[in-house]
Amino acid sequence: MNTEYSVKDSGLQLKGTNFGIRAVFPDDLTDDALLKIFAAVPQEAYALPIGRGVVLDFQARPCSERFITRVMREVVWPKKLKVLAWLTSDKDSSKRLEGAGFCVTEPEPDPIQVPARAQKQEQAGAAAGPNVVILDRSLRSGRHEEHGGNVVLVGHLNEGAEIYAGGSVFVLGRLKGLVHAGCGGTDGVCVVTGSFEARQLRVGDKLCDQFGYDMKWWKKPVIITLENEGLLFREWTIPQ
C-alpha cells in the first residue's frame, strides 16, 4: 500500500511525514496548470490529525513573485494551510522567498514519542499486563485513548474516535476511526481488525490515507504491517 496521494496523471504528490505533509510539485508544468492541479486537491487530503503542517516542495521550479502570490491567494489561504516551509533548488527563487519572510529550510523532524497521556487502568477498563491495555467497550466519536504499549479494543472504533499506541493495536470490531500504532517504534508492530473501514491509518511515521469502498480489503478482517517502507494488508484468519 502506497503512503502517497497523487492527483491522477499530474505528478503532484502528497507524502505523509512525521511533521505532517510534504507536497512535491512537478517542475515541468506551467504556473496555470500547476495551480489548477494544486487547487483541485481535496481539503481532506491535508486534514491530518497528526503533524504540524505542510511543506511545499517545488523542486527546481523557479518561483516568481506573481506565482508565489497566486499560490497564497488561490490555495494556501482558501484551504487554510499551515505552510512550514517553501522549498526550491532554484537559488534566485529561494532568496526571493526568504526575503519575503518565508521559511526555506527543511523542517526538523518530530521524534517519534510514546504518548505522554497513557491511560490509567481504571480509564481503560482492564489491564492485561504492563504493556497491554484492554478496552472492553466500543469508542464513540470524540473519544481519544493513548497507551505506551499494545492496545486491544473489544468493540468498535467508530468514526471520529482515536487510538494512539506505542505498540500494536487490535480492534476486534469495526475500525472506522483513526489508529496510530508504533508511536514508540515500529519493530514488530501491527494493526489488526475484524472489519477495516478506516479512511486513514498510521504506523510509525508512515501515513496511508484515501482509503475507500473500492479497496480490496474494505470491510474485511485484516492484519496490517509495515514492510519495505509501506503498509502491507493481509487477510486475518484464526488458525485452526
Side-chain angles (χ1 to χ4, degrees):
M1 179 64 65
N2 202 324
T3 61
E4 301 175 1
Y5 169 80
S6 298
V7 178
K8 186 177 180 181
D9 302 325
S10 72
L12 171 63
Q13 295 180 323
L14 301 183
K15 301 182 178 181
T17 71
N18 65 349
F19 54 70
I21 284 289
R22 177 189 295 274
V24 182
F25 298 87
D27 53 13
D28 58 351
L29 297 177
T30 65
D31 288 354
D32 286 340
L34 181 63
L35 284 164
K36 183 177 180 181
I37 292 166
F38 192 14
V41 177
Q43 180 67 34
E44 56 268 23
Y46 303 101
L48 299 181
I50 306 165
R52 290 182 275 130
V54 180
V55 167
L56 305 181
D57 186 349
F58 294 101
Q59 302 190 86
R61 168 180 290 275
C63 299
S64 66
E65 291 182 5
R66 182 174 183 272
F67 175 72
I68 295 167
T69 301
R70 289 187 64 191
V71 171
M72 294 296 296
R73 288 180 175 174
E74 297 176 28
V75 184
V76 174
W77 289 334
K79 293 184 181 293
K80 297 181 172 61
L81 300 185
K82 182 180 179 182
V83 180
L84 302 177
W86 299 61
L87 306 181
T88 172
S89 60
D90 182 79
K91 293 182 178 179
D92 290 339
S93 299
S94 186
K95 289 180 180 179
R96 186 175 297 115
L97 287 160
E98 187 175 19
F102 295 113
C103 176
V104 295
T105 58
E106 187 80 22
E108 289 292 329
D110 292 332
I112 298 176
Q113 298 177 345
V114 176
R117 301 185 301 238
Q119 301 296 312
K120 297 179 180 179
Q121 289 187 8
E122 59 268 24
Q123 293 173 310
N131 295 317
V132 180
V133 155
I134 297 177
L135 307 173
D136 58 357
R137 61 192 178 279
S138 295
L139 297 184
R140 299 188 300 273
S141 177
R143 291 299 305 272
H144 176 99
E145 299 286 348
E146 297 181 0
H147 180 60
N150 300 325
V151 175
V152 179
L153 176 63
V154 186
H156 306 304
L157 185 69
N158 291 308
E159 188 173 356
E162 302 175 351
I163 292 178
Y164 295 81
S168 298
V169 176
F170 302 82
V171 178
L172 303 189
R174 297 187 299 271
L175 196 171
K176 301 181 73 173
L178 172 70
V179 163
H180 184 180
C183 297
T186 58
D187 289 346
V189 168
C190 65
V191 175
V192 178
T193 179
S195 179
F196 184 82
E197 303 173 37
R199 298 292 184 179
Q200 188 179 104
L201 183 73
R202 192 162 188 170
V203 178
D205 63 352
K206 300 301 176 182
L207 168 75
C208 266
D209 62 0
Q210 306 302 316
F211 296 126
Y213 302 104
D214 57 345
M215 73 173 295
K216 176 182 178 181
W217 302 107
W218 192 256
K219 290 191 175 181
K220 293 183 179 179
V222 295
I223 178 169
I224 307 159
T225 54
L226 183 63
E227 298 187 20
N228 298 323
E229 297 301 310
L231 297 186
L232 176 66
F233 285 66
R234 293 174 301 201
E235 183 180 6
W236 176 36
T237 58
I238 299 175
Q240 299 295 324

